[in-house]
Amino acid sequence: MDVSELDLPAEAVDALRAKGFKTLYPPQAEAAPLALAGGNLVVAVPTASGKSLIGYIAALKTVTERKSKVLYIVPLKALATEKAEDLSELCGPLGCKVAVSTGDLDSPGDRLGDADIIVATSEKADSLLRHGSGWMSQVGLVIADEIHMIHDPSRGPTLEVALTKMMRRYGGLQVIALSATITNARDLADSLDADLVTGDWRPIELRPGAFSDWVITFDSGGNKEIEERGEVVWSLIEDTVRDGGQCLVFVNSRRSTESLASKYAGMMGKIAGNPLSDADRRKLEGDAESTSLGRKLASCVAGGMAFHNAGLTSSQRRMVERGFLAGTIKCIVATPTLAAGINLPARRVIVRDTGRFEANAGYVPISVMEIKQMCGRAGRPGF
C-alpha cells in the first residue's frame, strides 16, 4: 500500500513522504486503515515490523483532522526521548508541538497543555490523571507502546490502571496498543473492545541461536563456528566487529555493564578505537560535575565500547546511543532497559545472563518475552 492511499490530509501524506515513508509493510497496510477509522486497536507483530508508524499515522490524523491531543505512553524514559524526536520530525512541519513528560510525578503538568502530542511514561501518565490536568479531557488518542509491559509486576499495574481510568473518564477516546511479544493479544483486544492485527512478518530475518563449544547453532538450521579469542563473550563481539557489524550485550546488573565494558575497551581499542574530542570527553564525564562513573564511561567510549544503564544521565545515554548510531561505538553492554523498543544498528545481540536476582525469590530465569525483546534489537530496518 502506498501512503497516498491512506485516509489522511495531503499535508500529512507529504510529511510521511518527507520522512522516507512511501509504501507500507504488510502489517502496517493491514493495521493503518483500522487505526485511521478511529476504533481501538491492538497490534501484536514482530519486532522491526513497523508498529510505531501505525501509531504515528493515527497521531497525524488525530491532531490534523480531529483537532485533539495525543498521549503516547512508553515504559522507559530513553524510549520517550526517541519517540518524541521521531514525532517532532514527522509532525513539526505541520505546526504540531511535541512535548516529553517523564519527570516530577508531583507536578500537574500544566505546561503540557500547549502541546499537541505528549510522550510520557506510564508512571507520569498516571500522575497526570491523579492531578486532574485540565488538558487531559482534550486527548482523543492514547497510544500504549510496548503494551506487553502490562505483565510487569512493577510497571504493569500502573499502566493498566491509567488506561482503565482514561477509557472510563473520557468518552470517545481511541486506544492503540502496540507490542511485539505479547502472547495473549486476543485477551487484551477483548478487554479494550479493540480490533486485533497479528502476524509473523518481519522485514529482516532474525536468526536466534545457542552458543556452545565455540559454535552457534541456529534455530532455523545451520551453524557458525566462532574463532576462540580468549573469553567467550569477547570472541563473539570481535567476530561481529571484524565482520563489519556492531553488537549489543545484555547482562543482568548495572555493575556488570560497567565491568564488562571496561574489561573489553582496551581490546576493542586495538581494532576499532574512537579518539574523543575534549568536548565529548567532558560531556561523557559529566561536564562541570565529573564523576567516577562518567570518567569510566569516557574511557570505554574512547576504546569503541560503552555501557548503558539507569545510572547514566539522559545526556550520557543519548551520547552512547548516538555514538552507536554513528558507528564510532562498536559494542554496548546494557541492562535489559535497552531492550524496550530502541532503534539501534545491531547486527548481533548476545544475551549473556538469562537470569537475575529478585527480592524474596533469589536468582530466577528471565522471561521468554524479555529474551525476545532483547533479540529484537538486531536487524532493524534502515540501520
Side-chain angles (χ1 to χ4, degrees):
M1 173 187 285
D2 190 278
V3 293
S4 62
E5 300 176 55
L6 294 171
D7 182 21
L8 284 172
E11 63 269 23
V13 172
D14 291 342
L16 287 168
R17 288 190 175 279
K19 277 285 290 176
F21 300 114
K22 294 180 174 60
T23 57
L24 300 181
Y25 292 151
Q28 295 169 336
E30 181 180 356
L34 297 171
L36 292 173
N40 293 346
L41 176 66
V42 173
V43 181
V45 293
T47 55
S49 57
K51 297 180 299 300
S52 294
L53 182 61
I54 297 164
Y56 297 168
I57 288 171
L60 283 170
K61 176 87 167 183
T62 300
V63 298
T64 56
E65 282 198 354
R66 297 170 67 188
K67 305 300 182 184
S68 298
K69 295 183 184 294
V70 176
L71 180 61
Y72 199 116
I73 302 176
V74 295
L76 301 170
K77 292 181 180 179
L79 193 55
T81 302
E82 180 180 282
K83 297 304 179 187
E85 289 178 353
D86 286 349
L87 287 162
S88 293
E89 291 177 4
L90 182 61
C91 303
L94 302 178
C96 300
K97 183 178 178 182
V98 180
V100 181
S101 184
T102 61
D104 185 4
L105 299 185
D106 292 326
S107 167
D110 293 337
R111 66 175 180 81
L112 301 172
D114 293 333
D116 300 291
I117 301 174
I118 299 94
V119 184
T121 58
S122 52
E123 290 82 5
K124 185 61 181 181
D126 179 64
S127 170
L128 294 169
L129 276 167
R130 286 187 286 104
H131 282 91
S133 301
W135 57 265
M136 288 289 288
S137 62
Q138 302 171 40
V139 173
L141 168 65
V142 174
I143 301 167
D145 208 346
E146 309 294 330
I147 190 65
H148 54 268
M149 295 298 290
I150 207 165
H151 291 296
D152 185 271
S154 59
R155 291 190 170 96
T158 303
L159 174 59
E160 186 172 3
V161 167
L163 284 175
T164 303
K165 281 182 179 178
M166 284 185 281
M167 291 178 69
R168 290 186 175 183
R169 189 175 297 178
Y170 307 117
L173 182 72
Q174 180 185 15
V175 176
I176 296 178
L178 309 172
S179 176
T181 52
I182 195 164
T183 54
N184 60 334
R186 171 50 63 189
D187 294 335
L188 179 64
D190 289 345
S191 71
L192 295 175
D193 190 23
D195 290 315
L196 174 65
V197 172
T198 61
D200 56 9
W201 185 90
R202 196 180 196 275
I204 299 172
E205 181 190 6
L206 275 187
R207 300 188 69 200
F211 180 75
S212 179
D213 296 327
W214 304 104
V215 175
I216 304 172
T217 303
F218 295 105
D219 291 1
S220 57
N223 55 61
K224 175 179 173 62
E225 293 187 9
I226 300 297
E227 181 181 341
E228 184 175 352
R229 295 183 172 100
E231 292 189 1
V232 167
V233 174
W234 171 251
S235 297
L236 287 164
I237 294 171
E238 185 172 350
D239 177 78
T240 310
V241 174
R242 288 193 181 278
D243 194 39
Q246 291 168 266
C247 196
L248 287 175
V249 181
F250 286 103
V251 295
N252 60 13
S253 70
R254 294 187 193 180
R255 181 179 295 179
S256 292
T257 65
E258 296 161 22
S259 62
L260 209 63
S262 298
K263 185 176 184 179
Y264 295 151
M267 293 182 283
M268 182 68 81
K270 295 176 182 178
I271 59 174
N274 173 35
L276 284 175
S277 68
D278 290 341
D280 284 345
R281 182 176 291 277
R282 284 194 298 271
K283 289 178 183 178
L284 287 167
E285 289 181 351
D287 286 324
E289 298 181 3
S290 176
T291 64
S292 60
L293 183 66
R295 291 190 292 274
K296 185 185 295 183
L297 177 62
S299 176
C300 289
V301 172
M305 289 285 302
F307 53 87
H308 191 292
N309 60 48
L312 300 180
T313 66
S314 58
S315 174
Q316 289 169 329
R317 286 196 296 269
R318 289 303 291 160
M319 284 193 72
V320 168
E321 291 162 16
R322 286 170 179 158
F324 199 75
L325 285 168
T328 55
I329 295 173
K330 299 299 183 183
C331 178
I332 300 176
V333 187
T335 54
T337 55
L338 197 62
I342 302 290
N343 271 317
L344 292 173
R347 180 177 299 178
R348 175 176 287 163
V349 167
I350 301 166
V351 182
R352 191 195 72 169
D353 301 331
T354 57
R356 70 165 62 92
F357 282 97
E358 293 185 358
N360 304 317
Y363 193 77
V364 298
I366 59 178
S367 67
V368 172
M369 179 181 72
E370 199 167 323
I371 292 282
K372 288 185 175 181
Q373 279 291 317
M374 294 176 192
C375 293
R377 295 316 98 208
R380 309 298 296 188
F383 291 90

